Amino acid sequence: MFSPSKYSRRFHNKKTTIQRTPARKLVLFEVAGETYAIAIERVQRVLTEFTPQGTLEGGRSLVKIDADLITLLDLSRLFVTPKDSQEERSYLIVCTLTNGDRIGIPLQDLPAILDIPEDHFAEVPISYRQGKDSKNTAPAAVEKIITTDAGTVAFYLNLDKLLD
Protein backbone atom coordinates (compact mmCIF):
# COMPACT_ATOMS: atom_id res chain seq x y z
CA MET A 1 0.00 0.00 0.00
CA PHE A 2 1.20 3.54 -0.78
CA SER A 3 2.13 5.72 2.16
CA PRO A 4 2.91 9.41 1.40
CA SER A 5 5.26 9.78 4.35
CA LYS A 6 7.25 6.71 3.33
CA TYR A 7 7.44 7.95 -0.25
CA SER A 8 8.73 11.37 0.78
CA ARG A 9 11.35 9.97 3.16
CA ARG A 10 12.58 7.51 0.60
CA PHE A 11 13.39 10.22 -1.93
CA HIS A 12 14.49 12.75 0.65
CA ASN A 13 17.20 10.41 1.96
CA LYS A 14 18.60 9.82 -1.52
CA LYS A 15 18.54 13.46 -2.52
CA THR A 16 21.87 14.64 -3.85
CA THR A 17 22.91 18.25 -3.88
CA ILE A 18 24.37 19.52 -7.09
CA GLN A 19 26.58 22.55 -6.73
CA ARG A 20 26.22 24.85 -9.70
CA THR A 21 28.33 27.83 -10.52
CA PRO A 22 26.16 30.96 -10.69
CA ALA A 23 25.74 32.24 -14.24
CA ARG A 24 25.30 35.69 -15.74
CA LYS A 25 22.99 36.33 -18.68
CA LEU A 26 25.02 38.14 -21.34
CA VAL A 27 24.53 39.54 -24.81
CA LEU A 28 27.35 38.39 -27.12
CA PHE A 29 28.09 39.95 -30.48
CA GLU A 30 30.88 40.26 -32.99
CA VAL A 31 32.41 43.44 -34.40
CA ALA A 32 35.37 43.45 -36.80
CA GLY A 33 36.33 39.87 -35.98
CA GLU A 34 36.29 40.32 -32.18
CA THR A 35 33.60 38.96 -29.86
CA TYR A 36 32.24 41.21 -27.12
CA ALA A 37 29.86 40.63 -24.23
CA ILE A 38 27.75 42.94 -22.09
CA ALA A 39 25.32 42.30 -19.27
CA ILE A 40 21.77 41.83 -20.56
CA GLU A 41 20.47 44.23 -17.90
CA ARG A 42 22.22 47.03 -19.75
CA VAL A 43 20.46 46.32 -23.08
CA GLN A 44 17.25 48.25 -23.64
CA ARG A 45 16.47 46.89 -27.09
CA VAL A 46 17.83 45.88 -30.47
CA LEU A 47 16.76 47.88 -33.52
CA THR A 48 16.93 47.01 -37.19
CA GLU A 49 16.40 50.50 -38.58
CA PHE A 50 18.65 53.42 -37.71
CA THR A 51 20.56 56.18 -39.49
CA PRO A 52 23.88 57.41 -38.04
CA GLN A 53 24.52 61.16 -38.24
CA GLY A 54 27.69 63.23 -37.88
CA THR A 55 30.35 60.51 -37.80
CA LEU A 56 33.59 61.63 -36.13
CA GLU A 57 37.09 60.28 -36.84
CA GLY A 58 37.09 58.23 -33.59
CA GLY A 59 34.03 56.30 -34.74
CA ARG A 60 31.42 58.17 -32.71
CA SER A 61 28.26 59.47 -34.29
CA LEU A 62 24.70 60.25 -33.29
CA VAL A 63 21.45 58.43 -33.85
CA LYS A 64 17.90 59.53 -33.08
CA ILE A 65 15.99 56.99 -30.95
CA ASP A 66 12.44 58.00 -30.10
CA ALA A 67 12.79 61.69 -29.27
CA ASP A 68 16.39 61.45 -28.02
CA LEU A 69 19.75 61.78 -29.73
CA ILE A 70 22.15 59.17 -28.39
CA THR A 71 25.84 58.50 -29.01
CA LEU A 72 26.58 55.69 -31.41
CA LEU A 73 29.92 53.92 -30.77
CA ASP A 74 31.74 51.96 -33.47
CA LEU A 75 33.46 49.19 -31.50
CA SER A 76 35.62 48.29 -34.48
CA ARG A 77 37.75 51.26 -33.33
CA LEU A 78 38.19 49.77 -29.84
CA PHE A 79 41.00 47.45 -30.97
CA VAL A 80 43.45 47.88 -33.81
CA THR A 81 42.13 45.56 -36.50
CA PRO A 82 44.01 44.60 -39.67
CA LYS A 83 41.00 45.03 -41.90
CA ASP A 84 39.07 48.17 -42.64
CA SER A 85 35.73 47.56 -41.03
CA GLN A 86 33.27 49.46 -43.15
CA GLU A 87 30.89 46.50 -43.04
CA GLU A 88 27.14 46.92 -43.35
CA ARG A 89 25.51 47.47 -39.96
CA SER A 90 22.03 45.96 -39.81
CA TYR A 91 21.38 45.99 -36.05
CA LEU A 92 21.73 48.50 -33.25
CA ILE A 93 21.95 47.55 -29.58
CA VAL A 94 20.63 50.39 -27.43
CA CYS A 95 22.24 50.25 -23.98
CA THR A 96 21.87 52.20 -20.75
CA LEU A 97 24.85 53.53 -18.80
CA THR A 98 24.93 53.73 -15.01
CA ASN A 99 24.17 57.46 -15.11
CA GLY A 100 21.03 56.83 -17.21
CA ASP A 101 22.49 57.98 -20.54
CA ARG A 102 22.00 55.70 -23.52
CA ILE A 103 24.48 54.61 -26.17
CA GLY A 104 24.07 52.62 -29.35
CA ILE A 105 26.38 49.92 -30.71
CA PRO A 106 25.93 49.08 -34.42
CA LEU A 107 26.31 45.42 -35.42
CA GLN A 108 26.45 43.43 -38.61
CA ASP A 109 24.76 40.33 -37.15
CA LEU A 110 22.01 39.74 -34.62
CA PRO A 111 23.49 39.37 -31.10
CA ALA A 112 23.14 36.15 -29.07
CA ILE A 113 21.99 35.77 -25.47
CA LEU A 114 23.92 33.24 -23.38
CA ASP A 115 24.14 32.17 -19.75
CA ILE A 116 27.84 32.18 -18.89
CA PRO A 117 28.96 30.60 -15.59
CA GLU A 118 30.97 32.89 -13.28
CA ASP A 119 33.96 30.53 -13.47
CA HIS A 120 34.24 31.30 -17.22
CA PHE A 121 35.19 34.92 -16.40
CA ALA A 122 38.92 35.66 -16.10
CA GLU A 123 40.93 38.74 -15.24
CA VAL A 124 42.66 40.53 -18.08
CA PRO A 125 46.39 39.66 -17.74
CA ILE A 126 48.54 42.59 -16.59
CA SER A 127 50.99 41.96 -19.42
CA TYR A 128 48.11 42.39 -21.91
CA ARG A 129 47.09 45.70 -20.33
CA GLN A 130 50.60 47.19 -20.36
CA GLY A 131 52.21 48.83 -23.35
CA LYS A 132 54.47 51.68 -24.34
CA ASP A 133 51.62 53.78 -25.69
CA SER A 134 47.82 53.74 -25.70
CA LYS A 135 47.69 51.91 -29.05
CA ASN A 136 49.50 48.92 -27.51
CA THR A 137 47.30 48.49 -24.44
CA ALA A 138 43.94 46.85 -23.85
CA PRO A 139 41.16 49.42 -23.64
CA ALA A 140 39.97 50.25 -20.11
CA ALA A 141 36.46 49.20 -21.14
CA VAL A 142 37.59 45.55 -21.34
CA GLU A 143 36.79 44.41 -17.81
CA LYS A 144 37.10 40.61 -18.10
CA ILE A 145 37.91 37.88 -20.59
CA ILE A 146 35.23 35.21 -21.05
CA THR A 147 35.51 31.77 -22.57
CA THR A 148 32.19 30.31 -23.70
CA ASP A 149 31.33 26.61 -23.60
CA ALA A 150 31.91 26.60 -27.38
CA GLY A 151 35.48 27.85 -26.82
CA THR A 152 34.90 31.39 -28.07
CA VAL A 153 36.88 34.11 -26.28
CA ALA A 154 34.89 37.29 -25.65
CA PHE A 155 35.83 40.66 -24.19
CA TYR A 156 33.41 41.59 -21.38
CA LEU A 157 32.82 45.32 -21.61
CA ASN A 158 32.18 47.92 -18.94
CA LEU A 159 29.93 50.22 -20.97
CA ASP A 160 30.58 53.22 -18.69
CA LYS A 161 34.28 53.12 -19.62
CA LEU A 162 33.62 53.08 -23.37
CA LEU A 163 33.23 56.85 -23.40
CA ASP A 164 36.53 57.54 -21.56
mmCIF file with all atom_site columns, all heavy atoms in Angstrom, residues 1-16:
data_model
loop_
_atom_site.group_PDB
_atom_site.id
_atom_site.type_symbol
_atom_site.label_atom_id
_atom_site.label_alt_id
_atom_site.label_comp_id
_atom_site.label_asym_id
_atom_site.label_entity_id
_atom_site.label_seq_id
_atom_site.pdbx_PDB_ins_code
_atom_site.Cartn_x
_atom_site.Cartn_y
_atom_site.Cartn_z
_atom_site.occupancy
_atom_site.B_iso_or_equiv
_atom_site.pdbx_formal_charge
_atom_site.auth_seq_id
_atom_site.auth_comp_id
_atom_site.auth_asym_id
_atom_site.auth_atom_id
_atom_site.pdbx_PDB_model_num
ATOM 1   N N   . MET A 1 1  ? 0.836  -1.182 0.000  1.00 0.00 ? 1  MET A N   1
ATOM 2   C CA  . MET A 1 1  ? 0.000  0.000  0.000  1.00 0.00 ? 1  MET A CA  1
ATOM 3   C C   . MET A 1 1  ? 0.885  1.252  0.000  1.00 0.00 ? 1  MET A C   1
ATOM 4   O O   . MET A 1 1  ? 1.950  1.277  0.606  1.00 0.00 ? 1  MET A O   1
ATOM 5   C CB  . MET A 1 1  ? -0.914 -0.042 1.219  1.00 0.00 ? 1  MET A CB  1
ATOM 6   C CG  . MET A 1 1  ? -1.802 1.143  1.307  1.00 0.00 ? 1  MET A CG  1
ATOM 7   S SD  . MET A 1 1  ? -3.205 0.723  2.361  1.00 0.00 ? 1  MET A SD  1
ATOM 8   C CE  . MET A 1 1  ? -4.158 2.112  2.043  1.00 0.00 ? 1  MET A CE  1
ATOM 9   N N   . PHE A 1 2  ? 0.447  2.301  -0.637 1.00 0.00 ? 2  PHE A N   1
ATOM 10  C CA  . PHE A 1 2  ? 1.195  3.542  -0.776 1.00 0.00 ? 2  PHE A CA  1
ATOM 11  C C   . PHE A 1 2  ? 1.042  4.406  0.465  1.00 0.00 ? 2  PHE A C   1
ATOM 12  O O   . PHE A 1 2  ? -0.047 4.663  0.930  1.00 0.00 ? 2  PHE A O   1
ATOM 13  C CB  . PHE A 1 2  ? 0.687  4.298  -2.008 1.00 0.00 ? 2  PHE A CB  1
ATOM 14  C CG  . PHE A 1 2  ? 1.336  5.635  -2.166 1.00 0.00 ? 2  PHE A CG  1
ATOM 15  C CD1 . PHE A 1 2  ? 2.631  5.742  -2.612 1.00 0.00 ? 2  PHE A CD1 1
ATOM 16  C CD2 . PHE A 1 2  ? 0.655  6.784  -1.836 1.00 0.00 ? 2  PHE A CD2 1
ATOM 17  C CE1 . PHE A 1 2  ? 3.222  6.958  -2.759 1.00 0.00 ? 2  PHE A CE1 1
ATOM 18  C CE2 . PHE A 1 2  ? 1.251  8.016  -1.980 1.00 0.00 ? 2  PHE A CE2 1
ATOM 19  C CZ  . PHE A 1 2  ? 2.529  8.103  -2.437 1.00 0.00 ? 2  PHE A CZ  1
ATOM 20  N N   . SER A 1 3  ? 2.148  4.836  1.000  1.00 0.00 ? 3  SER A N   1
ATOM 21  C CA  . SER A 1 3  ? 2.131  5.722  2.163  1.00 0.00 ? 3  SER A CA  1
ATOM 22  C C   . SER A 1 3  ? 2.900  6.991  1.795  1.00 0.00 ? 3  SER A C   1
ATOM 23  O O   . SER A 1 3  ? 4.090  6.930  1.497  1.00 0.00 ? 3  SER A O   1
ATOM 24  C CB  . SER A 1 3  ? 2.807  5.030  3.344  1.00 0.00 ? 3  SER A CB  1
ATOM 25  O OG  . SER A 1 3  ? 3.027  5.969  4.368  1.00 0.00 ? 3  SER A OG  1
ATOM 26  N N   . PRO A 1 4  ? 2.239  8.171  1.790  1.00 0.00 ? 4  PRO A N   1
ATOM 27  C CA  . PRO A 1 4  ? 2.910  9.412  1.398  1.00 0.00 ? 4  PRO A CA  1
ATOM 28  C C   . PRO A 1 4  ? 4.143  9.728  2.238  1.00 0.00 ? 4  PRO A C   1
ATOM 29  O O   . PRO A 1 4  ? 5.133  10.201 1.727  1.00 0.00 ? 4  PRO A O   1
ATOM 30  C CB  . PRO A 1 4  ? 1.853  10.494 1.585  1.00 0.00 ? 4  PRO A CB  1
ATOM 31  C CG  . PRO A 1 4  ? 0.556  9.796  1.675  1.00 0.00 ? 4  PRO A CG  1
ATOM 32  C CD  . PRO A 1 4  ? 0.839  8.387  2.120  1.00 0.00 ? 4  PRO A CD  1
ATOM 33  N N   . SER A 1 5  ? 4.106  9.452  3.522  1.00 0.00 ? 5  SER A N   1
ATOM 34  C CA  . SER A 1 5  ? 5.264  9.778  4.352  1.00 0.00 ? 5  SER A CA  1
ATOM 35  C C   . SER A 1 5  ? 6.451  8.877  4.026  1.00 0.00 ? 5  SER A C   1
ATOM 36  O O   . SER A 1 5  ? 7.590  9.303  4.037  1.00 0.00 ? 5  SER A O   1
ATOM 37  C CB  . SER A 1 5  ? 4.915  9.686  5.835  1.00 0.00 ? 5  SER A CB  1
ATOM 38  O OG  . SER A 1 5  ? 4.514  8.366  6.143  1.00 0.00 ? 5  SER A OG  1
ATOM 39  N N   . LYS A 1 6  ? 6.183  7.619  3.720  1.00 0.00 ? 6  LYS A N   1
ATOM 40  C CA  . LYS A 1 6  ? 7.251  6.706  3.331  1.00 0.00 ? 6  LYS A CA  1
ATOM 41  C C   . LYS A 1 6  ? 7.863  7.142  2.002  1.00 0.00 ? 6  LYS A C   1
ATOM 42  O O   . LYS A 1 6  ? 9.067  7.128  1.814  1.00 0.00 ? 6  LYS A O   1
ATOM 43  C CB  . LYS A 1 6  ? 6.653  5.300  3.178  1.00 0.00 ? 6  LYS A CB  1
ATOM 44  C CG  . LYS A 1 6  ? 7.475  4.221  3.766  1.00 0.00 ? 6  LYS A CG  1
ATOM 45  C CD  . LYS A 1 6  ? 6.798  2.914  3.478  1.00 0.00 ? 6  LYS A CD  1
ATOM 46  C CE  . LYS A 1 6  ? 7.046  1.952  4.601  1.00 0.00 ? 6  LYS A CE  1
ATOM 47  N NZ  . LYS A 1 6  ? 6.470  0.648  4.296  1.00 0.00 ? 6  LYS A NZ  1
ATOM 48  N N   . TYR A 1 7  ? 7.008  7.523  1.082  1.00 0.00 ? 7  TYR A N   1
ATOM 49  C CA  . TYR A 1 7  ? 7.439  7.955  -0.253 1.00 0.00 ? 7  TYR A CA  1
ATOM 50  C C   . TYR A 1 7  ? 8.346  9.177  -0.144 1.00 0.00 ? 7  TYR A C   1
ATOM 51  O O   . TYR A 1 7  ? 9.406  9.230  -0.734 1.00 0.00 ? 7  TYR A O   1
ATOM 52  C CB  . TYR A 1 7  ? 6.196  8.270  -1.093 1.00 0.00 ? 7  TYR A CB  1
ATOM 53  C CG  . TYR A 1 7  ? 6.493  8.648  -2.508 1.00 0.00 ? 7  TYR A CG  1
ATOM 54  C CD1 . TYR A 1 7  ? 6.809  7.692  -3.455 1.00 0.00 ? 7  TYR A CD1 1
ATOM 55  C CD2 . TYR A 1 7  ? 6.465  9.978  -2.902 1.00 0.00 ? 7  TYR A CD2 1
ATOM 56  C CE1 . TYR A 1 7  ? 7.073  8.034  -4.750 1.00 0.00 ? 7  TYR A CE1 1
ATOM 57  C CE2 . TYR A 1 7  ? 6.723  10.341 -4.198 1.00 0.00 ? 7  TYR A CE2 1
ATOM 58  C CZ  . TYR A 1 7  ? 7.027  9.369  -5.127 1.00 0.00 ? 7  TYR A CZ  1
ATOM 59  O OH  . TYR A 1 7  ? 7.286  9.741  -6.412 1.00 0.00 ? 7  TYR A OH  1
ATOM 60  N N   . SER A 1 8  ? 7.953  10.142 0.636  1.00 0.00 ? 8  SER A N   1
ATOM 61  C CA  . SER A 1 8  ? 8.735  11.367 0.778  1.00 0.00 ? 8  SER A CA  1
ATOM 62  C C   . SER A 1 8  ? 10.086 11.094 1.415  1.00 0.00 ? 8  SER A C   1
ATOM 63  O O   . SER A 1 8  ? 11.094 11.618 0.980  1.00 0.00 ? 8  SER A O   1
ATOM 64  C CB  . SER A 1 8  ? 7.979  12.393 1.626  1.00 0.00 ? 8  SER A CB  1
ATOM 65  O OG  . SER A 1 8  ? 6.796  12.751 0.984  1.00 0.00 ? 8  SER A OG  1
ATOM 66  N N   . ARG A 1 9  ? 10.084 10.276 2.494  1.00 0.00 ? 9  ARG A N   1
ATOM 67  C CA  . ARG A 1 9  ? 11.346 9.973  3.158  1.00 0.00 ? 9  ARG A CA  1
ATOM 68  C C   . ARG A 1 9  ? 12.292 9.213  2.249  1.00 0.00 ? 9  ARG A C   1
ATOM 69  O O   . ARG A 1 9  ? 13.482 9.442  2.238  1.00 0.00 ? 9  ARG A O   1
ATOM 70  C CB  . ARG A 1 9  ? 11.085 9.148  4.428  1.00 0.00 ? 9  ARG A CB  1
ATOM 71  C CG  . ARG A 1 9  ? 11.111 10.010 5.660  1.00 0.00 ? 9  ARG A CG  1
ATOM 72  C CD  . ARG A 1 9  ? 11.028 9.186  6.901  1.00 0.00 ? 9  ARG A CD  1
ATOM 73  N NE  . ARG A 1 9  ? 9.606  8.957  7.154  1.00 0.00 ? 9  ARG A NE  1
ATOM 74  C CZ  . ARG A 1 9  ? 9.067  7.802  7.484  1.00 0.00 ? 9  ARG A CZ  1
ATOM 75  N NH1 . ARG A 1 9  ? 9.818  6.742  7.628  1.00 0.00 ? 9  ARG A NH1 1
ATOM 76  N NH2 . ARG A 1 9  ? 7.792  7.685  7.686  1.00 0.00 ? 9  ARG A NH2 1
ATOM 77  N N   . ARG A 1 10 ? 11.741 8.316  1.474  1.00 0.00 ? 10 ARG A N   1
ATOM 78  C CA  . ARG A 1 10 ? 12.576 7.506  0.600  1.00 0.00 ? 10 ARG A CA  1
ATOM 79  C C   . ARG A 1 10 ? 13.356 8.386  -0.372 1.00 0.00 ? 10 ARG A C   1
ATOM 80  O O   . ARG A 1 10 ? 14.546 8.228  -0.569 1.00 0.00 ? 10 ARG A O   1
ATOM 81  C CB  . ARG A 1 10 ? 11.727 6.492  -0.157 1.00 0.00 ? 10 ARG A CB  1
ATOM 82  C CG  . ARG A 1 10 ? 12.577 5.569  -1.017 1.00 0.00 ? 10 ARG A CG  1
ATOM 83  C CD  . ARG A 1 10 ? 11.747 4.546  -1.691 1.00 0.00 ? 10 ARG A CD  1
ATOM 84  N NE  . ARG A 1 10 ? 10.939 5.240  -2.690 1.00 0.00 ? 10 ARG A NE  1
ATOM 85  C CZ  . ARG A 1 10 ? 10.056 4.636  -3.463 1.00 0.00 ? 10 ARG A CZ  1
ATOM 86  N NH1 . ARG A 1 10 ? 9.824  3.355  -3.329 1.00 0.00 ? 10 ARG A NH1 1
ATOM 87  N NH2 . ARG A 1 10 ? 9.379  5.299  -4.343 1.00 0.00 ? 10 ARG A NH2 1
ATOM 88  N N   . PHE A 1 11 ? 12.701 9.363  -0.980 1.00 0.00 ? 11 PHE A N   1
ATOM 89  C CA  . PHE A 1 11 ? 13.389 10.219 -1.935 1.00 0.00 ? 11 PHE A CA  1
ATOM 90  C C   . PHE A 1 11 ? 14.211 11.295 -1.236 1.00 0.00 ? 11 PHE A C   1
ATOM 91  O O   . PHE A 1 11 ? 15.235 11.703 -1.713 1.00 0.00 ? 11 PHE A O   1
ATOM 92  C CB  . PHE A 1 11 ? 12.401 10.864 -2.913 1.00 0.00 ? 11 PHE A CB  1
ATOM 93  C CG  . PHE A 1 11 ? 11.945 9.904  -3.957 1.00 0.00 ? 11 PHE A CG  1
ATOM 94  C CD1 . PHE A 1 11 ? 10.717 9.283  -3.870 1.00 0.00 ? 11 PHE A CD1 1
ATOM 95  C CD2 . PHE A 1 11 ? 12.767 9.593  -5.015 1.00 0.00 ? 11 PHE A CD2 1
ATOM 96  C CE1 . PHE A 1 11 ? 10.305 8.378  -4.827 1.00 0.00 ? 11 PHE A CE1 1
ATOM 97  C CE2 . PHE A 1 11 ? 12.373 8.691  -5.983 1.00 0.00 ? 11 PHE A CE2 1
ATOM 98  C CZ  . PHE A 1 11 ? 11.144 8.081  -5.885 1.00 0.00 ? 11 PHE A CZ  1
ATOM 99  N N   . HIS A 1 12 ? 13.760 11.728 -0.089 1.00 0.00 ? 12 HIS A N   1
ATOM 100 C CA  . HIS A 1 12 ? 14.495 12.748 0.654  1.00 0.00 ? 12 HIS A CA  1
ATOM 101 C C   . HIS A 1 12 ? 15.863 12.225 1.082  1.00 0.00 ? 12 HIS A C   1
ATOM 102 O O   . HIS A 1 12 ? 16.857 12.940 1.005  1.00 0.00 ? 12 HIS A O   1
ATOM 103 C CB  . HIS A 1 12 ? 13.671 13.195 1.868  1.00 0.00 ? 12 HIS A CB  1
ATOM 104 C CG  . HIS A 1 12 ? 14.370 14.245 2.672  1.00 0.00 ? 12 HIS A CG  1
ATOM 105 N ND1 . HIS A 1 12 ? 14.554 15.515 2.200  1.00 0.00 ? 12 HIS A ND1 1
ATOM 106 C CD2 . HIS A 1 12 ? 14.950 14.199 3.898  1.00 0.00 ? 12 HIS A CD2 1
ATOM 107 C CE1 . HIS A 1 12 ? 15.204 16.217 3.102  1.00 0.00 ? 12 HIS A CE1 1
ATOM 108 N NE2 . HIS A 1 12 ? 15.451 15.442 4.152  1.00 0.00 ? 12 HIS A NE2 1
ATOM 109 N N   . ASN A 1 13 ? 15.930 10.990 1.512  1.00 0.00 ? 13 ASN A N   1
ATOM 110 C CA  . ASN A 1 13 ? 17.196 10.415 1.962  1.00 0.00 ? 13 ASN A CA  1
ATOM 111 C C   . ASN A 1 13 ? 18.194 10.248 0.827  1.00 0.00 ? 13 ASN A C   1
ATOM 112 O O   . ASN A 1 13 ? 19.386 10.304 1.032  1.00 0.00 ? 13 ASN A O   1
ATOM 113 C CB  . ASN A 1 13 ? 16.970 9.056  2.636  1.00 0.00 ? 13 ASN A CB  1
ATOM 114 C CG  . ASN A 1 13 ? 16.209 9.219  3.934  1.00 0.00 ? 13 ASN A CG  1
ATOM 115 O OD1 . ASN A 1 13 ? 16.209 10.308 4.499  1.00 0.00 ? 13 ASN A OD1 1
ATOM 116 N ND2 . ASN A 1 13 ? 15.560 8.161  4.385  1.00 0.00 ? 13 ASN A ND2 1
ATOM 117 N N   . LYS A 1 14 ? 17.703 10.044 -0.378 1.00 0.00 ? 14 LYS A N   1
ATOM 118 C CA  . LYS A 1 14 ? 18.603 9.817  -1.517 1.00 0.00 ? 14 LYS A CA  1
ATOM 119 C C   . LYS A 1 14 ? 18.902 11.101 -2.285 1.00 0.00 ? 14 LYS A C   1
ATOM 120 O O   . LYS A 1 14 ? 19.580 11.077 -3.294 1.00 0.00 ? 14 LYS A O   1
ATOM 121 C CB  . LYS A 1 14 ? 17.982 8.795  -2.477 1.00 0.00 ? 14 LYS A CB  1
ATOM 122 C CG  . LYS A 1 14 ? 17.916 7.411  -1.870 1.00 0.00 ? 14 LYS A CG  1
ATOM 123 C CD  . LYS A 1 14 ? 17.397 6.445  -2.875 1.00 0.00 ? 14 LYS A CD  1
ATOM 124 C CE  . LYS A 1 14 ? 17.337 5.051  -2.275 1.00 0.00 ? 14 LYS A CE  1
ATOM 125 N NZ  . LYS A 1 14 ? 16.879 4.076  -3.238 1.00 0.00 ? 14 LYS A NZ  1
ATOM 126 N N   . LYS A 1 15 ? 18.377 12.186 -1.821 1.00 0.00 ? 15 LYS A N   1
ATOM 127 C CA  . LYS A 1 15 ? 18.543 13.457 -2.518 1.00 0.00 ? 15 LYS A CA  1
ATOM 128 C C   . LYS A 1 15 ? 20.026 13.845 -2.561 1.00 0.00 ? 15 LYS A C   1
ATOM 129 O O   . LYS A 1 15 ? 20.711 13.801 -1.554 1.00 0.00 ? 15 LYS A O   1
ATOM 130 C CB  . LYS A 1 15 ? 17.761 14.527 -1.775 1.00 0.00 ? 15 LYS A CB  1
ATOM 131 C CG  . LYS A 1 15 ? 17.517 15.759 -2.564 1.00 0.00 ? 15 LYS A CG  1
ATOM 132 C CD  . LYS A 1 15 ? 16.713 16.724 -1.726 1.00 0.00 ? 15 LYS A CD  1
ATOM 133 C CE  . LYS A 1 15 ? 15.824 17.547 -2.591 1.00 0.00 ? 15 LYS A CE  1
ATOM 134 N NZ  . LYS A 1 15 ? 15.043 18.476 -1.822 1.00 0.00 ? 15 LYS A NZ  1
ATOM 135 N N   . THR A 1 16 ? 20.491 14.184 -3.704 1.00 0.00 ? 16 THR A N   1
ATOM 136 C CA  . THR A 1 16 ? 21.866 14.638 -3.851 1.00 0.00 ? 16 THR A CA  1
ATOM 137 C C   . THR A 1 16 ? 21.855 16.131 -4.137 1.00 0.00 ? 16 THR A C   1
ATOM 138 O O   . THR A 1 16 ? 20.975 16.631 -4.832 1.00 0.00 ? 16 THR A O   1
ATOM 139 C CB  . THR A 1 16 ? 22.589 13.909 -5.003 1.00 0.00 ? 16 THR A CB  1
ATOM 140 O OG1 . THR A 1 16 ? 21.873 14.139 -6.198 1.00 0.00 ? 16 THR A OG1 1
ATOM 141 C CG2 . THR A 1 16 ? 22.719 12.436 -4.716 1.00 0.00 ? 16 THR A CG2 1
#
